[in-house]
Amino acid sequence: MTITTRAPLPSPAEHAVSSRTAGEAIPRRFLMCRPEHFDVTYAINPWMDPTKPVDTDLAVAQWEVLRATYESLGHRVELIQPVEGLPDMVYAANGGVVYDGKAMAASFTFAERQPEGAAYHAWFDEAGLRPTIQAAAQNEGEGDFLVVGRLILAGTGFRTSVAAHHEAREFFGAPVISLELVDPRFYHLDTALAAIDDQTIAYYPLAFSAASNAILRQLFPDAIVATAADAEVLGLNAVSDGYNVVLTDKAVHLHERLRERGFNPIGVDLSELLKGGGSVKCCTLEVRA
Ligand code: ARG
């Protein structure tokens, strides 16, 4: 377990940006990458099996539905040019973190994905975000950094290093809470925890160490707790605008829990992209400018 904050843990309410009530949709700006070159040619997480066939056209069609869903909800979707030979580039969330208009480009764990860092950095730069940096410490962007109100929840254990949590805290000047992931199927924070609104998260407790569970209970006593079945279809890999929550149609319990809490779950089918170990959130980087 790693706690990088020594002061008493803040309550999320103290860190909420606005005083709006939960359940209000806020228009977002998203960066996505069309999966034209998507494939599973190597295995860097337990979901990937290079011997299983991948239907790239179907991946593109499913991804187009996700993009259209965001646009129909009033969100702005921007695109980064896909690069041949980078089959995982569709998972835009991993490209970096944008917070208060500042952008930190990822520094990938595996050689297969390392060139993506420069591509996302260039996009941030061209988009006029300032300042932008290429992170020094190993980190996989919003795969492991999730913004909840003003807090940044940060995963470690499989990909992003604790040094990157420090780097993010210094660069963004934001409180960063380190959380330790313990189950290799949930190798990024965004596979085990979803930011639903400024005060609400959903998560799968068994993906986290005991100490990280204690921290999450303390910070988010009203969190939505996902079942194993929800987690195993990557139901927590969700994107919320504060009211509409876009997630896989297969996470049926999580859809119910969200509805009970007044949110509007919207199911999509990203079965081809699940073969790479990702779902809705993985395909979506939020540009918080
Ligand atoms: N195949 C990719 C990898 O293992 C999947 C990344 C999923 N992205 C995410 N934000 N969890 O790196």
Side-chain angles (χ1 to χ4, degrees):
M1 178 209 52
T2 317
I3 305 176
T4 59
T5 302
R6 282 167 198 276
L9 290 166
S11 85
E14 286 164 19
H15 284 270
V17 204
S18 66
S19 55
R20 72 181 178 79
T21 53
E24 185 188 329
I26 294 181
R28 311 282 169 150
R29 182 175 167 195
F30 294 135
L31 176 61
M32 298 180 75
C33 181
R34 201 163 184 271
E36 281 158 40
H37 306 297
F38 175 66
D39 201 352
V40 177
T41 56
Y42 49 80
I44 55 173
N45 71 54
W47 302 83
M48 301 173 84
D49 178 355
T51 65
K52 265 206 216 152
V54 169
D55 183 339
T56 304
D57 292 340
L58 180 57
V60 170
Q62 293 176 337
W63 177 94
E64 287 289 0
V65 172
L66 177 63
R67 171 193 181 173
T69 302
Y70 290 144
E71 286 173 342
S72 73
L73 292 170
H75 304 309
R76 171 169 162 203
V77 176
E78 286 165 90
L79 300 177
I80 182 170
Q81 183 68 38
V83 176
E84 203 177 340
L86 297 177
D88 274 337
M89 198 173 164
V90 58
Y91 303 112
N94 300 134
V97 183
V98 182
Y99 181 99
D100 280 350
K102 301 177 187 172
M104 183 175 91
S107 180
F108 283 86
T109 312
F110 296 103
E112 289 90 338
R113 298 199 66 186
Q114 273 158 9
E116 292 182 42
Y120 280 94
H121 191 194
W123 190 92
F124 296 146
D125 229 34
E126 281 157 29
L129 300 165
R130 294 292 181 269
T132 67
I133 54 159
Q134 176 71 63
Q138 182 181 306
N139 86 83
E140 300 200 347
E142 283 199 324
D144 276 316
F145 289 105
L146 291 173
V147 177
V148 184
R150 296 298 292 167
L151 282 183
I152 300 178
L153 303 183
T156 189
F158 298 101
R159 301 285 179 94
T160 296
S161 63
V162 172
H165 298 181
H166 290 278
E167 192 176 8
R169 181 188 306 102
E170 293 305 310
F171 180 63
F172 295 118
V176 174
I177 306 289
S178 293
L179 299 168
E180 188 168 7
L181 296 161
V182 296
D183 181 331
R185 292 172 305 165
F186 308 111
Y187 56 94
H188 276 142
L189 183 63
D190 73 355
T191 62
L193 187 149
I196 306 297
D197 70 14
D198 285 356
Q199 290 107 47
T200 310
I201 62 161
Y203 72 110
Y204 178 52
L206 290 178
F208 295 91
S209 69
S212 294
N213 266 285
I215 293 167
L216 287 169
R217 279 196 303 270
Q218 195 177 337
L219 285 174
F220 303 101
D222 299 325
I224 296 169
V225 174
T227 63
D230 292 327
E232 284 161 9
V233 292
L234 291 188
L236 290 160
N237 199 248
V239 170
S240 175
D241 63 17
Y243 172 63
N244 302 293
V245 185
V246 185
L247 75 165
T248 170
D249 51 7
K250 313 221 169 30
V252 288
H253 301 98
L254 189 52
H255 278 249
E256 272 171 42
R257 297 290 89 75
L258 287 162
R259 225 173 278 114
E260 278 166 15
R261 298 284 282 264
F263 297 101
N264 183 38
I266 299 173
V268 291
D269 179 8
L270 288 183
S271 59
E272 282 311 294
L273 292 161
L274 189 62
K275 294 178 181 170
S279 187
V280 173
K281 171 61 200 169
C282 296
C283 294
T284 316
L285 185 145
E286 185 169 345
V287 182
R288 297 181 188 79

